[in-house]
Amino acid sequence: MVIGEGVEWGLHCCVALAWLDDHAPIATARLAEIFELPPEYLKKRLQPLVREGILESTPGARGGYRLARAPERITLMDVVAAVEGRTDAFRCTEIRRRGAGAARAKSEFAKPCGIAQAMGRAELAWRRELSSQTIADLMGGAHDNASKYTRSFYEHATG
């Protein structure tokens, strides 16, 4: 499974917006400056988050982006689903019905095979893990070195 960099940009922007939250929209140019990205590129990456109600976008000279909900109410899975879509990573095509299986009775394929079941359990575990973590958690709930670095980065970039 490969998750596109749009998810990474989306998550980082959500964290930055949470740190910068003063109830006013943050200009696209300001967000783009933090990450040294072209504003138009970043704008395209944030559009799915607006469509899914994770971010709010305000047009105009004083416009920009802000979180549409509290950081505690935005899960990592929300962002992944907004950017990557909600389709399953593994799609069983029932290849066991081809070749030697083509002549078998359809009733033999009434239940998913062990491979489809295992992949489904793995994906469910992955989705549950991402659903259990929020933007607020990324902002500093953990005490590991990665979280300390991330917090330091945003404090420096925003302050």
Side-chain angles (χ1 to χ4, degrees), residues 1 15 22 26 78 137 155:
M1 174 182 335
V15 172
D22 63 359
I26 305 303
D78 292 336
D137 294 332
E155 286 173 344

Side-chain angles (χ1 to χ4, degrees), residues 54-151:
I54 295 168
L55 299 181
E56 292 177 353
S57 175
T58 306
R62 296 186 184 265
Y65 294 95
R66 68 175 156 222
L67 295 180
R69 352 188 250 262
E72 301 81 25
R73 295 189 50 232
I74 302 170
T75 69
L76 277 62
M77 190 67 232
D78 292 336
V79 175
V80 170
V83 175
E84 295 287 325
R86 298 185 186 284
T87 58
D88 293 339
F90 179 80
R91 291 177 260 328
C92 178
T93 60
E94 280 296 354
I95 64 170
R96 62 189 178 146
R97 291 185 182 196
R98 300 179 194 159
R104 298 183 104 42
K106 286 188 177 188
S107 62
E108 291 186 44
F109 306 109
K111 293 183 179 180
C113 70
I115 293 169
Q117 290 175 4
M119 297 302 282
R121 285 190 306 271
E123 183 156 347
L124 182 58
W126 176 76
R127 289 178 183 274
R128 282 182 178 155
E129 181 63 24
L130 291 176
S131 294
S132 74
Q133 296 179 60
T134 67
I135 296 301
D137 294 332
L138 295 178
M139 292 174 69
H143 299 288
D144 60 18
N145 286 334
S147 293
K148 288 178 186 175
Y149 171 78
T150 301
R151 183 178 186 141

Side-chain angles (χ1 to χ4, degrees), residues 7-8 10 17-18 20 24 34 38 41 43 45 49 51 53-54 63 70 75 84 100 106-107 114-115 121 125 128 134:
V7 170
E8 182 178 7
L17 289 168
L20 293 167
I34 292 170
Y41 174 85
K43 192 183 223 180
R45 298 294 159 261
L49 301 177
R51 282 192 298 272
I54 295 168
T75 69
E84 295 287 325
K106 286 188 177 188
S107 62
I115 293 169
R121 285 190 306 271
R128 282 182 178 155
T134 67

